[in-house]
Coordinates of all heavy atoms in Angstrom, one line a residue:
M9 N -10.6 -110.8 43.2 CA -11.3 -111.9 42.7 C -12.2 -111.7 41.4 O -13.3 -112.2 41.4 CB -12.1 -112.5 43.8 CG -12.5 -113.9 44.0 SD -12.3 -115.5 43.8 CE -10.9 -116.1 44.4
N10 N -11.6 -110.9 40.6 CA -12.4 -110.8 39.3 C -13.9 -110.6 39.3 O -14.7 -111.3 38.7 CB -12.1 -112.1 38.3 CG -11.1 -111.8 37.2 OD1 -10.7 -110.7 37.1 ND2 -10.8 -112.8 36.5
G11 N -14.3 -109.6 40.1 CA -15.6 -109.2 40.1 C -16.6 -110.2 40.6 O -17.7 -110.5 40.0
G12 N -16.2 -111.0 41.5 CA -17.1 -112.0 42.1 C -16.9 -113.4 41.4 O -17.6 -114.4 41.7
L13 N -16.2 -113.4 40.3 CA -16.1 -114.7 39.4 C -15.1 -115.6 40.2 O -14.1 -115.3 40.7 CB -15.5 -114.3 38.1 CG -16.0 -115.1 36.9 CD1 -17.4 -114.7 36.7 CD2 -15.1 -114.8 35.7
V14 N -15.6 -116.9 40.4 CA -14.7 -117.8 40.9 C -13.8 -118.6 39.8 O -14.4 -119.0 38.9 CB -15.4 -118.9 41.7 CG1 -14.6 -120.1 42.3 CG2 -16.3 -118.4 42.8
L15 N -12.5 -118.4 39.8 CA -11.6 -118.9 38.9 C -10.8 -120.0 39.5 O -10.4 -119.8 40.6 CB -10.6 -117.8 38.4 CG -11.4 -116.6 37.6 CD1 -10.4 -115.6 37.2 CD2 -12.1 -117.1 36.4
K16 N -10.6 -121.2 38.7 CA -9.9 -122.2 39.2 C -8.7 -122.5 38.5 O -8.7 -122.3 37.2 CB -10.8 -123.5 39.3 CG -11.9 -123.5 40.2 CD -12.8 -124.8 40.2 CE -13.9 -124.7 41.0 NZ -14.8 -125.9 41.1
R17 N -7.6 -122.9 39.1 CA -6.3 -123.2 38.4 C -6.4 -124.7 37.9 O -7.3 -125.5 38.3 CB -5.2 -123.1 39.4 CG -4.9 -121.7 39.8 CD -4.1 -121.7 41.0 NE -2.7 -122.0 40.6 CZ -1.6 -121.5 41.0 NH1 -1.7 -120.5 41.8 NH2 -0.4 -121.8 40.7
V18 N -5.5 -125.0 36.9 CA -5.4 -126.4 36.4 C -5.3 -127.3 37.6 O -6.1 -128.4 37.6 CB -4.2 -126.5 35.5 CG1 -3.9 -127.9 35.1 CG2 -4.4 -125.6 34.3
S19 N -4.5 -127.1 38.5 CA -4.3 -128.1 39.6 C -5.6 -128.2 40.5 O -5.9 -129.4 40.9 CB -3.2 -127.5 40.6 OG -3.4 -126.3 41.1
D20 N -6.4 -127.2 40.6 CA -7.7 -127.3 41.3 C -8.6 -128.2 40.6 O -9.2 -129.1 41.1 CB -8.4 -125.9 41.5 CG -7.6 -125.0 42.3 OD1 -6.8 -125.4 43.1 OD2 -7.7 -123.7 41.9
L21 N -8.7 -128.0 39.2 CA -9.6 -128.8 38.5 C -9.1 -130.3 38.4 O -10.0 -131.2 38.4 CB -9.8 -128.3 37.0 CG -10.4 -126.9 36.9 CD1 -10.3 -126.3 35.4 CD2 -11.9 -127.1 37.2
A22 N -7.8 -130.5 38.2 CA -7.2 -131.8 38.1 C -7.6 -132.5 39.4 O -8.0 -133.7 39.4 CB -5.8 -131.7 38.0
Q23 N -7.4 -132.0 40.5 CA -7.6 -132.6 41.8 C -9.2 -132.9 41.9 O -9.5 -134.0 42.3 CB -7.2 -131.8 43.0 CG -7.3 -132.4 44.3 CD -6.7 -131.6 45.4 OE1 -6.4 -130.4 45.3 NE2 -6.5 -132.2 46.6
E24 N -10.1 -131.9 41.6 CA -11.5 -132.1 41.7 C -12.0 -133.3 40.8 O -12.9 -134.0 41.2 CB -12.1 -130.8 41.1 CG -13.6 -130.7 41.7 CD -14.0 -129.3 41.4 OE1 -13.3 -128.3 41.6 OE2 -15.2 -129.2 40.9
Y25 N -11.3 -133.4 39.6 CA -11.9 -134.5 38.7 C -11.0 -135.8 38.6 O -11.3 -136.7 37.8 CB -12.1 -133.9 37.3 CG -13.1 -132.8 37.3 CD1 -12.9 -131.5 37.4 CD2 -14.4 -133.3 37.2 CE1 -13.9 -130.5 37.4 CE2 -15.5 -132.3 37.3 CZ -15.2 -130.9 37.4 OH -16.1 -130.1 37.5
G26 N -10.0 -135.7 39.5 CA -9.2 -137.0 39.6 C -8.4 -137.3 38.3 O -8.2 -138.5 38.0
V27 N -7.9 -136.2 37.6 CA -7.0 -136.4 36.5 C -5.7 -135.7 36.7 O -5.5 -134.9 37.7 CB -7.7 -135.9 35.2 CG1 -9.0 -136.6 34.9 CG2 -7.9 -134.3 35.3
L28 N -4.8 -135.9 35.8 CA -3.5 -135.2 35.9 C -3.6 -133.8 35.2 O -4.4 -133.6 34.4 CB -2.4 -136.0 35.1 CG -2.0 -137.4 35.7 CD1 -1.1 -138.0 34.7 CD2 -1.3 -137.2 37.1
P29 N -2.9 -132.9 35.9 CA -2.9 -131.5 35.3 C -2.5 -131.5 33.8 O -3.2 -130.7 33.1 CB -1.9 -130.8 36.1 CG -1.9 -131.5 37.4 CD -2.1 -132.9 37.1
S30 N -1.6 -132.4 33.5 CA -1.2 -132.5 32.1 C -2.4 -132.8 31.2 O -2.4 -132.3 30.0 CB -0.1 -133.5 31.9 OG -0.5 -134.7 32.3
Q31 N -3.4 -133.5 31.6 CA -4.5 -133.9 30.8 C -5.4 -132.6 30.6 O -5.8 -132.4 29.3 CB -5.4 -134.9 31.5 CG -6.6 -135.4 30.6 CD -7.3 -136.5 31.3 OE1 -6.9 -137.0 32.4 NE2 -8.4 -137.0 30.7
I32 N -5.5 -131.8 31.5 CA -6.3 -130.5 31.4 C -5.5 -129.6 30.4 O -6.0 -128.9 29.5 CB -6.6 -129.8 32.7 CG1 -7.5 -130.7 33.4 CG2 -7.1 -128.5 32.5 CD1 -7.9 -130.4 34.8
R33 N -4.2 -129.5 30.5 CA -3.4 -128.6 29.7 C -3.4 -129.1 28.3 O -3.4 -128.3 27.3 CB -1.9 -128.6 30.2 CG -1.8 -127.6 31.4 CD -0.3 -127.4 31.8 NE 0.4 -128.6 32.3 CZ 0.4 -128.9 33.6 NH1 -0.3 -128.2 34.5 NH2 1.0 -130.0 33.9
Y34 N -3.5 -130.5 28.1 CA -3.7 -131.0 26.7 C -5.0 -130.6 26.1 O -5.1 -130.2 25.0 CB -3.6 -132.6 26.8 CG -3.9 -133.2 25.5 CD1 -2.9 -133.2 24.5 CD2 -5.0 -133.9 25.3 CE1 -3.2 -133.8 23.3 CE2 -5.4 -134.6 24.1 CZ -4.3 -134.5 23.1 OH -4.6 -135.2 21.9
Y35 N -6.1 -130.5 26.9 CA -7.4 -130.1 26.4 C -7.3 -128.6 26.0 O -8.0 -128.2 25.0 CB -8.5 -130.3 27.4 CG -8.7 -131.8 27.6 CD1 -9.2 -132.2 28.8 CD2 -8.5 -132.8 26.7 CE1 -9.5 -133.6 29.1 CE2 -8.8 -134.1 27.0 CZ -9.2 -134.4 28.1 OH -9.5 -135.8 28.4
V36 N -6.5 -127.8 26.7 CA -6.3 -126.4 26.4 C -5.6 -126.4 25.0 O -6.0 -125.7 24.1 CB -5.5 -125.7 27.4 CG1 -5.2 -124.3 26.9 CG2 -6.4 -125.5 28.8
K37 N -4.5 -127.2 24.9 CA -3.7 -127.1 23.6 C -4.5 -127.6 22.4 O -4.4 -127.1 21.3 CB -2.5 -128.1 23.8 CG -1.6 -128.1 22.6 CD -0.4 -129.1 23.0 CE 0.2 -129.7 21.7 NZ 0.0 -131.2 21.6
E38 N -5.4 -128.5 22.7 CA -6.3 -129.0 21.5 C -7.5 -128.1 21.3 O -8.3 -128.4 20.4 CB -6.8 -130.4 21.9 CG -5.7 -131.5 21.8 CD -5.1 -131.7 20.5 OE1 -5.9 -131.6 19.5 OE2 -3.8 -131.8 20.4
G39 N -7.6 -127.0 22.1 CA -8.8 -126.1 21.8 C -10.1 -126.6 22.4 O -11.2 -126.0 22.0
L40 N -10.1 -127.6 23.3 CA -11.4 -128.0 23.8 C -11.9 -127.1 24.9 O -13.1 -126.9 25.0 CB -11.2 -129.4 24.3 CG -10.7 -130.5 23.3 CD1 -10.7 -131.8 24.0 CD2 -11.7 -130.6 22.1
I41 N -11.0 -126.5 25.6 CA -11.3 -125.5 26.7 C -10.3 -124.4 26.5 O -9.2 -124.5 26.0 CB -11.3 -126.1 28.1 CG1 -9.8 -126.7 28.5 CG2 -12.3 -127.1 28.4 CD1 -9.7 -127.0 29.9
S42 N -10.7 -123.3 27.1 CA -9.9 -122.0 26.9 C -9.8 -121.4 28.2 O -10.8 -121.1 29.0 CB -10.5 -121.0 26.0 OG -10.7 -121.5 24.7
P43 N -8.6 -121.0 28.7 CA -8.3 -120.3 30.0 C -9.1 -119.0 29.9 O -9.2 -118.3 28.9 CB -6.9 -120.1 30.1 CG -6.3 -120.9 29.0 CD -7.3 -121.2 27.9
T44 N -9.8 -118.7 31.1 CA -10.6 -117.4 31.1 C -9.5 -116.3 31.5 O -9.7 -115.1 31.0 CB -11.5 -117.5 32.4 OG1 -12.4 -118.7 32.1 CG2 -12.4 -116.3 32.4
D45 N -8.5 -116.7 32.1 CA -7.5 -115.6 32.5 C -6.3 -116.3 32.9 O -6.2 -117.6 32.8 CB -8.1 -114.9 33.8 CG -7.4 -113.4 34.0 OD1 -6.4 -113.2 33.2 OD2 -7.9 -112.7 34.8
R46 N -5.2 -115.6 33.3 CA -3.9 -116.1 33.9 C -3.5 -115.4 35.1 O -3.8 -114.3 35.2 CB -2.9 -116.0 32.7 CG -3.0 -117.0 31.6 CD -1.8 -116.8 30.6 NE -1.9 -117.7 29.5 CZ -1.1 -118.5 29.1 NH1 0.1 -118.6 29.9 NH2 -1.2 -119.4 28.1
T47 N -2.8 -116.2 35.9 CA -2.2 -115.6 37.1 C -1.0 -114.7 36.7 O -0.5 -114.8 35.5 CB -1.7 -116.5 38.2 OG1 -0.7 -117.3 37.5 CG2 -2.9 -117.5 38.5
Q48 N -0.4 -113.9 37.6 CA 0.8 -113.2 37.2 C 1.9 -114.1 36.9 O 2.8 -113.8 36.1 CB 1.2 -112.3 38.4 CG 0.3 -111.1 38.6 CD 0.7 -110.2 39.7 OE1 1.4 -110.6 40.7 NE2 0.3 -108.9 39.7
G49 N 1.9 -115.4 37.4 CA 2.9 -116.4 37.2 C 2.6 -117.1 35.9 O 3.4 -118.0 35.5
G50 N 1.6 -116.8 35.2 CA 1.3 -117.3 33.9 C 0.4 -118.6 34.0 O 0.3 -119.4 32.9
H51 N -0.1 -119.1 35.2 CA -0.9 -120.2 35.3 C -2.3 -119.9 34.7 O -2.9 -118.8 34.9 CB -1.1 -120.6 36.7 CG 0.2 -121.0 37.4 ND1 0.8 -122.2 37.3 CD2 1.1 -120.3 38.2 CE1 2.0 -122.3 37.8 NE2 2.1 -121.3 38.4
F52 N -2.8 -120.9 34.1 CA -4.2 -120.8 33.5 C -5.2 -120.7 34.6 O -5.1 -121.4 35.6 CB -4.5 -122.0 32.7 CG -3.7 -122.2 31.4 CD1 -3.3 -123.4 30.9 CD2 -3.4 -121.0 30.6 CE1 -2.7 -123.5 29.8 CE2 -2.7 -121.2 29.5 CZ -2.3 -122.5 29.0
L53 N -6.2 -119.9 34.3 CA -7.5 -119.8 35.3 C -8.7 -120.1 34.4 O -8.8 -119.7 33.3 CB -7.5 -118.4 35.9 CG -6.4 -118.1 36.8 CD1 -6.5 -116.6 37.3 CD2 -6.4 -119.0 38.2
F54 N -9.6 -120.8 35.1 CA -10.9 -121.2 34.3 C -12.1 -120.7 35.1 O -12.2 -120.9 36.3 CB -10.9 -122.7 34.1 CG -9.7 -123.2 33.3 CD1 -8.6 -123.6 34.0 CD2 -9.8 -123.2 31.9 CE1 -7.5 -124.0 33.3 CE2 -8.7 -123.7 31.2 CZ -7.6 -124.1 31.9
D55 N -13.2 -120.2 34.4 CA -14.4 -119.9 35.1 C -15.3 -121.1 35.0 O -15.1 -122.1 34.4 CB -14.9 -118.6 34.5 CG -15.3 -118.7 33.0 OD1 -15.5 -119.8 32.5 OD2 -15.7 -117.7 32.4
E56 N -16.5 -120.7 35.5 CA -17.5 -121.8 35.6 C -17.9 -122.4 34.2 O -18.2 -123.5 34.0 CB -18.8 -121.2 36.3 CG -19.9 -122.3 36.6 CD -21.0 -121.8 37.4 OE1 -20.9 -120.6 38.0 OE2 -22.0 -122.4 37.4
S57 N -18.0 -121.5 33.2 CA -18.5 -121.9 31.9 C -17.4 -122.8 31.3 O -17.8 -123.9 30.5 CB -18.8 -120.8 31.0 OG -17.5 -120.1 30.6
Q58 N -16.1 -122.6 31.5 CA -15.1 -123.5 31.1 C -15.1 -124.8 31.8 O -14.8 -125.9 31.3 CB -13.7 -122.8 31.1 CG -13.7 -121.7 30.1 CD -13.8 -122.2 28.6 OE1 -13.2 -123.1 28.2 NE2 -14.7 -121.6 27.8
E59 N -15.4 -124.7 33.1 CA -15.5 -126.0 33.9 C -16.6 -126.8 33.4 O -16.4 -128.0 33.2 CB -15.7 -125.7 35.4 CG -15.6 -126.9 36.2 CD -15.7 -126.7 37.7 OE1 -15.7 -125.5 38.1 OE2 -15.7 -127.7 38.4
K60 N -17.7 -126.2 33.0 CA -18.9 -127.0 32.5 C -18.4 -127.7 31.1 O -18.8 -128.8 30.9 CB -20.1 -126.1 32.2 CG -20.9 -125.7 33.5 CD -22.0 -124.8 33.1 CE -22.7 -124.4 34.4 NZ -23.8 -123.4 34.2
R61 N -17.7 -126.9 30.4 CA -17.2 -127.4 29.1 C -16.3 -128.6 29.3 O -16.3 -129.6 28.6 CB -16.5 -126.3 28.4 CG -16.3 -126.5 27.0 CD -15.8 -125.2 26.2 NE -15.1 -125.5 25.1 CZ -15.7 -125.4 23.9 NH1 -17.0 -124.9 23.9 NH2 -15.1 -125.6 22.8
L62 N -15.4 -128.5 30.3 CA -14.5 -129.5 30.7 C -15.3 -130.8 31.1 O -14.9 -132.0 30.8 CB -13.6 -129.1 31.9 CG -12.5 -130.2 32.3 CD1 -11.6 -130.5 31.2 CD2 -11.7 -129.6 33.6
K63 N -16.3 -130.7 31.9 CA -17.2 -131.8 32.2 C -17.7 -132.5 31.1 O -17.8 -133.7 31.1 CB -18.3 -131.3 33.2 CG -17.9 -131.0 34.6 CD -19.2 -130.5 35.4 CE -18.8 -129.8 36.7 NZ -20.1 -129.3 37.4
K64 N -18.1 -131.7 30.0 CA -18.7 -132.3 28.8 C -17.6 -133.1 28.1 O -17.8 -134.1 27.5 CB -19.2 -131.1 27.9 CG -20.0 -131.6 26.7 CD -21.3 -132.2 27.1 CE -22.0 -132.7 25.9 NZ -23.2 -133.5 26.3
V65 N -16.4 -132.6 28.1 CA -15.2 -133.2 27.5 C -15.1 -134.6 28.2 O -14.9 -135.6 27.6 CB -13.9 -132.5 27.6 CG1 -12.7 -133.3 27.3 CG2 -14.0 -131.2 26.8
F66 N -15.1 -134.6 29.5 CA -15.0 -135.9 30.3 C -16.1 -136.8 29.9 O -15.8 -138.0 29.8 CB -14.9 -135.6 31.8 CG -13.6 -135.0 32.2 CD1 -13.7 -133.9 33.2 CD2 -12.4 -135.3 31.7 CE1 -12.5 -133.3 33.7 CE2 -11.2 -134.7 32.2 CZ -11.3 -133.7 33.1
E67 N -17.3 -136.4 29.9 CA -18.4 -137.1 29.4 C -18.3 -137.9 28.2 O -18.5 -139.1 27.9 CB -19.8 -136.4 29.5 CG -20.3 -136.0 30.7 CD -21.4 -134.9 30.7 OE1 -22.1 -134.9 29.5 OE2 -21.8 -134.2 31.6
L68 N -17.8 -137.0 27.2 CA -17.7 -137.5 25.8 C -16.5 -138.5 25.7 O -16.5 -139.5 25.0 CB -17.5 -136.3 24.8 CG -18.7 -135.5 24.7 CD1 -18.3 -134.2 23.9 CD2 -19.8 -136.2 24.0
K69 N -15.4 -138.2 26.5 CA -14.3 -139.1 26.6 C -14.7 -140.5 27.1 O -14.3 -141.6 26.6 CB -13.2 -138.6 27.4 CG -12.3 -137.5 26.7 CD -11.5 -138.0 25.6 CE -10.3 -139.0 26.1 NZ -9.5 -139.4 24.9
K70 N -15.6 -140.5 28.1 CA -16.1 -141.7 28.7 C -16.9 -142.5 27.7 O -16.9 -143.8 27.8 CB -16.9 -141.3 29.9 CG -17.2 -142.4 30.9 CD -18.0 -142.0 32.1 CE -17.1 -141.9 33.3 NZ -17.9 -141.6 34.5
K71 N -17.5 -141.7 26.8 CA -18.3 -142.4 25.8 C -17.5 -142.8 24.6 O -17.9 -143.2 23.5 CB -19.4 -141.5 25.3 CG -20.5 -141.4 26.4 CD -21.5 -140.4 25.9 CE -22.6 -140.2 27.0 NZ -23.6 -139.2 26.6
R72 N -16.1 -142.8 24.8 CA -15.1 -143.2 23.7 C -15.0 -142.3 22.5 O -14.6 -142.7 21.4 CB -15.3 -144.6 23.3 CG -15.7 -145.5 24.4 CD -14.8 -146.4 25.2 NE -13.9 -147.2 24.5 CZ -12.6 -147.4 25.0 NH1 -12.2 -146.7 26.0 NH2 -11.8 -148.2 24.4
Y73 N -15.5 -141.1 22.6 CA -15.2 -140.1 21.5 C -13.9 -139.7 21.3 O -13.2 -139.7 22.4 CB -16.1 -138.9 21.7 CG -17.6 -139.0 21.3 CD1 -18.5 -139.4 22.4 CD2 -18.1 -138.8 20.1 CE1 -19.8 -139.5 22.1 CE2 -19.4 -139.0 19.8 CZ -20.3 -139.3 20.7 OH -21.7 -139.5 20.5
R74 N -13.4 -139.4 20.1 CA -12.0 -139.0 19.9 C -11.9 -137.5 20.1 O -12.9 -136.9 20.0 CB -11.6 -139.3 18.5 CG -11.5 -140.8 18.3 CD -10.9 -141.1 16.8 NE -10.4 -142.5 16.8 CZ -11.0 -143.3 15.9 NH1 -11.9 -142.9 15.1 NH2 -10.6 -144.6 15.9
I75 N -10.8 -137.0 20.4 CA -10.5 -135.5 20.5 C -11.1 -134.7 19.4 O -11.9 -133.8 19.7 CB -9.1 -135.2 20.7 CG1 -8.5 -135.7 22.0 CG2 -8.8 -133.7 20.6 CD1 -9.1 -135.2 23.2
K76 N -10.9 -135.1 18.1 CA -11.4 -134.3 17.0 C -13.0 -134.4 17.0 O -13.6 -133.4 16.7 CB -11.0 -135.1 15.6 CG -11.4 -134.3 14.4 CD -11.0 -135.1 13.2 CE -11.5 -134.4 11.9 NZ -11.4 -135.2 10.7
E77 N -13.6 -135.5 17.4 CA -15.1 -135.6 17.4 C -15.5 -134.7 18.6 O -16.6 -134.0 18.4 CB -15.5 -137.0 17.7 CG -15.1 -137.9 16.5 CD -15.2 -139.5 16.9 OE1 -15.1 -139.9 18.0 OE2 -15.8 -140.2 16.0
I78 N -14.9 -134.7 19.7 CA -15.3 -133.8 20.9 C -15.2 -132.4 20.5 O -16.1 -131.6 20.7 CB -14.4 -134.1 22.1 CG1 -14.6 -135.5 22.6 CG2 -14.7 -133.1 23.2 CD1 -13.7 -136.1 23.7
R79 N -14.2 -132.0 19.8 CA -14.0 -130.6 19.3 C -15.2 -130.3 18.5 O -15.7 -129.2 18.6 CB -12.7 -130.4 18.5 CG -12.4 -128.9 18.2 CD -11.1 -128.7 17.5 NE -9.9 -129.3 18.2 CZ -9.2 -130.4 17.7 NH1 -9.5 -131.0 16.5 NH2 -8.2 -130.7 18.4
E80 N -15.6 -131.1 17.4 CA -16.7 -130.8 16.6 C -18.0 -130.7 17.4 O -18.8 -129.8 17.1 CB -16.8 -131.9 15.6 CG -15.7 -131.9 14.5 CD -15.6 -133.1 13.6 OE1 -16.5 -134.0 13.8 OE2 -14.7 -133.1 12.7
I81 N -18.2 -131.6 18.3 CA -19.4 -131.6 19.1 C -19.5 -130.2 19.9 O -20.5 -129.5 20.0 CB -19.5 -132.7 20.1 CG1 -19.8 -134.0 19.3 CG2 -20.7 -132.5 21.1 CD1 -19.5 -135.3 20.0
L82 N -18.4 -129.9 20.6 CA -18.4 -128.6 21.4 C -18.5 -127.4 20.5 O -19.2 -126.5 20.9 CB -16.9 -128.5 22.1 CG -16.8 -129.5 23.2 CD1 -15.5 -129.4 23.8 CD2 -17.9 -129.4 24.4
N83 N -17.9 -127.4 19.2 CA -18.1 -126.3 18.4 C -19.6 -126.2 17.9 O -20.2 -125.1 17.8 CB -17.1 -126.4 17.2 CG -15.7 -126.2 17.5 OD1 -15.4 -125.7 18.6 ND2 -14.8 -126.7 16.7
G84 N -20.2 -127.4 17.7 CA -21.6 -127.4 17.4 C -22.5 -126.8 18.5 O -23.3 -126.1 18.2
L85 N -22.2 -127.1 19.8 CA -22.8 -126.6 20.8 C -22.6 -125.1 21.1 O -23.6 -124.3 21.2 CB -22.4 -127.2 22.1 CG -22.7 -128.7 22.4 CD1 -22.1 -129.2 23.6 CD2 -24.3 -128.9 22.5
D86 N -21.5 -124.6 20.7 CA -21.1 -123.1 20.8 C -22.0 -122.4 19.7 O -22.5 -121.4 20.1 CB -19.6 -122.9 20.5 CG -18.8 -123.4 21.7 OD1 -19.3 -123.7 22.8 OD2 -17.5 -123.4 21.5
S87 N -21.9 -122.9 18.5 CA -22.7 -122.2 17.5 C -24.2 -122.3 17.6 O -24.9 -121.3 17.4 CB -22.3 -122.7 16.1 OG -22.6 -124.1 15.9
S88 N -24.6 -123.3 18.2 CA -26.1 -123.4 18.5 C -26.5 -122.5 19.6 O -27.6 -121.9 19.6 CB -26.6 -124.8 18.8 OG -26.2 -125.3 20.0
S89 N -25.7 -122.3 20.6 CA -26.0 -121.4 21.7 C -25.8 -119.9 21.4 O -26.5 -119.0 21.9 CB -25.3 -121.8 23.0 OG -23.8 -121.6 22.8
S90 N -25.0 -119.6 20.5 CA -24.7 -118.2 20.1 C -25.7 -117.8 19.0 O -25.8 -116.6 18.9 CB -23.3 -118.1 19.6 OG -23.1 -118.7 18.3
S91 N -26.5 -118.6 18.5 CA -27.5 -118.2 17.5 C -28.9 -118.1 18.1 O -29.8 -117.9 17.4 CB -27.5 -119.2 16.4 OG -27.9 -120.5 16.8
D92 N -29.0 -118.2 19.4 CA -30.3 -118.1 20.1 C -30.8 -116.7 20.1 O -30.2 -115.7 20.1 CB -30.2 -118.5 21.6 CG -30.0 -120.0 21.8 OD1 -30.4 -120.7 20.7 OD2 -29.7 -120.5 22.8

């Protein structure tokens, strides 16, 4: 279990948030979230930080932001937290 890290599959996150797995895979494709690891079978795995990022994506989607805008917002958050 990756040194105590809890990793979730696309299907786990999709079920937890009531969305289709294809929606989460789309967010990966668009660069909004990044898999932390993969299973031997090639399935994406996500850690807690990526799940938090996914929650932010859902919040912004609910506020009617476009994918491009969400990417810019998340990239802004990434650069501000890395410059601390």
Side-chain angles (χ1 to χ4, degrees):
M9 202 35 59
N10 254 355
L13 218 70
V14 176
L15 298 176
K16 295 182 180 179
R17 294 166 67 139
V18 169
S19 56
D20 299 329
L21 292 171
Q23 187 172 13
E24 199 171 318
Y25 293 98
V27 298
L28 294 172
S30 58
Q31 187 174 354
I32 294 173
R33 285 191 290 273
Y34 174 71
Y35 294 153
V36 170
K37 181 179 154 244
E38 290 296 320
L40 301 179
I41 59 172
S42 301
T44 308
D45 204 352
R46 285 182 180 234
T47 66
Q48 286 184 336
H51 297 280
F52 293 143
L53 294 170
F54 301 91
D55 66 9
E56 188 179 344
S57 70
Q58 288 303 307
E59 185 175 355
K60 284 180 183 174
R61 201 171 158 97
L62 180 63
K63 286 180 191 176
K64 189 70 178 169
V65 171
F66 290 140
E67 288 171 19
L68 294 169
K69 282 293 288 176
K70 198 180 252 186
K71 293 178 180 176
R72 322 262 309 143
Y73 282 92
R74 294 186 167 120
I75 293 295
K76 182 181 178 199
E77 295 168 321
I78 293 171
R79 188 181 304 112
E80 290 169 359
I81 291 167
L82 292 176
N83 288 342
L85 291 175
D86 289 346
S87 61
S88 70
S89 65
S90 64
S91 65
D92 286 344

